[in-house]
Amino acid sequence: MARERWFFAQGNRRRGPVPFDKLVESVLGQPDPRAVLVWRKGFADWTRGEDVPEVGLRLAPFLAKKAAEEAARRAPAVAPPRVAPPPARVEGAKPGSPALVYGGIAGGVAVLVLLAWLFWPWPQPPAPPSGPVPLGGTTAETAPAVVIPAPPAGARAMPALTPSPVTTTTTRPAAPVAAGMADRETELPPAELRKLRSVWAWEGEALKGTVYNGTGWRVTELYVRVGRFVNDDFVEDPRPLRLVPPGVQVDAGVADLLSQVAPDRKKPGLNSLDTGSFEGKAGARPENFRAEIESARGYAPR
């Protein structure tokens, strides 16, 4: 039987070929062995190690031991039971003690004050006036304003005056102005390029990717380096592929005409913190491939 050549993924890189025992040892050394992708000739695509029968059988004992150690480490420590202190002994007041004497005197004074407040002849409030009360004058006719008292119980109430409606003007706060983009398309710096996340698929002769833009840029073009699996190894293309959003590809004549008619126009692209598609012609689909964003262009935030 020919010696099997295994490959495994470490981060965004392919490692291998390695023999089977070395593969198991390398997978167990990863932070999450269950999620490590492996491949060998005969597989349709990269597969998680625990889903491959021969690899899963070798990983199972180590993963079970690691899970038990993790559960034991996270188990909360049992605190010793708390013993309540014995209740303090309270001695009752003896008859004739100063506490009883002064307490009785204070209680008697409080009762006398309450009775005096209840039965004290308080003055009655004056009766409300029966007519208009002048404000600022000697009579209701000469006063600049009068107060009309409420009618007694059972009397017919005077119709209320309806005040004129007051028109108020509400000033709306100014709407926030969205941050603009630079006028010229430039290349993303490496720190921003690492914030792009992508998933790739081959459809016919086109390479298509779903990309999450974690930068503050509007991304208009991606340059992707493709590696194709040939003769048990990956061979990278000599030049990266240019990928753009769907429907953006135009021929050279149309692009030149647009640049003359609207020189300040901005290309469509993937906005900041958004997810969208990019595609480009890449040729026939290989048996297996890998793709990595090498560079990108777009409009920087102002």
Side-chain angles (χ1 to χ4, degrees):
M1 179 184 295
R3 182 170 58 91
E4 294 182 344
R5 293 155 54 91
W6 291 83
F7 297 84
F8 66 95
Q10 185 176 18
N12 293 328
R13 299 288 184 179
R14 174 188 62 85
R15 303 296 184 186
V18 295
F20 181 73
D21 292 340
K22 181 64 176 178
L23 170 74
V24 175
E25 179 182 346
S26 301
V27 170
L28 290 173
Q30 302 299 315
D32 186 6
R34 299 178 183 274
V36 177
L37 300 177
V38 301
W39 185 91
R40 66 172 172 81
K41 188 173 182 180
F43 284 10
D45 205 343
W46 288 84
T47 309
R48 296 199 323 166
E50 68 172 357
D51 296 335
V52 179
E54 58 266 40
V55 179
L57 290 176
R58 293 288 298 273
L59 296 181
F62 298 97
L63 295 178
K65 181 180 179 181
K66 185 176 180 181
E69 293 175 352
E70 185 71 16
R73 187 173 66 255
R74 293 184 178 180
V78 180
R82 299 181 60 185
V83 179
R89 182 178 180 183
V90 180
E91 295 184 357
K94 298 180 179 180
S97 63
L100 290 179
V101 174
Y102 292 118
I105 294 174
V109 172
V111 172
L112 291 176
V113 172
L114 178 61
L115 293 176
W117 183 81
L118 290 176
F119 295 102
W120 188 264
W122 299 100
Q124 298 295 326
S130 58
V133 179
L135 295 178
T138 57
T139 64
E141 288 76 10
T142 61
V146 295
V147 176
I148 301 177
R156 184 178 180 182
M158 296 179 63
L161 297 176
T162 303
S164 301
V166 179
T167 303
T168 59
T169 302
T170 303
T171 303
R172 297 178 179 271
V177 180
M181 293 290 176
D183 295 332
R184 294 184 176 275
E185 185 183 20
T186 56
E187 188 168 339
L188 271 71
E192 298 295 324
L193 191 66
R194 288 191 290 269
K195 298 178 183 179
L196 299 177
R197 299 290 184 267
S198 58
V199 178
W200 304 102
W202 214 288
E203 294 186 11
E205 294 189 351
L207 178 64
K208 296 185 177 182
T210 301
V211 181
Y212 169 71
N213 181 9
T215 73
W217 292 52
R218 176 193 289 177
V219 180
T220 58
E221 297 178 0
L222 297 178
Y223 291 87
V224 179
R225 182 76 65 173
V226 177
R228 307 165 193 258
F229 194 75
V230 179
N231 297 329
D232 295 342
D233 202 358
F234 282 98
V235 179
E236 293 186 347
D237 291 352
R239 293 189 302 272
L241 296 177
R242 176 178 175 268
L243 306 184
V244 295
V248 176
Q249 291 279 16
V250 295
D251 56 33
V254 175
D256 183 61
L257 179 62
L258 288 175
S259 63
Q260 296 178 13
V261 175
D264 297 332
R265 74 181 184 95
K266 287 184 170 61
K267 296 181 181 179
L270 180 60
N271 292 327
S272 173
L273 304 180
D274 201 357
T275 302
S277 299
F278 283 79
E279 62 181 25
K281 189 173 181 180
R285 186 188 190 284
E287 177 185 357
N288 200 355
F289 73 96
R290 66 184 180 189
E292 183 177 355
I293 299 176
E294 190 171 276
S295 62
R297 294 179 61 82
Y299 298 98
R302 289 182 177 175

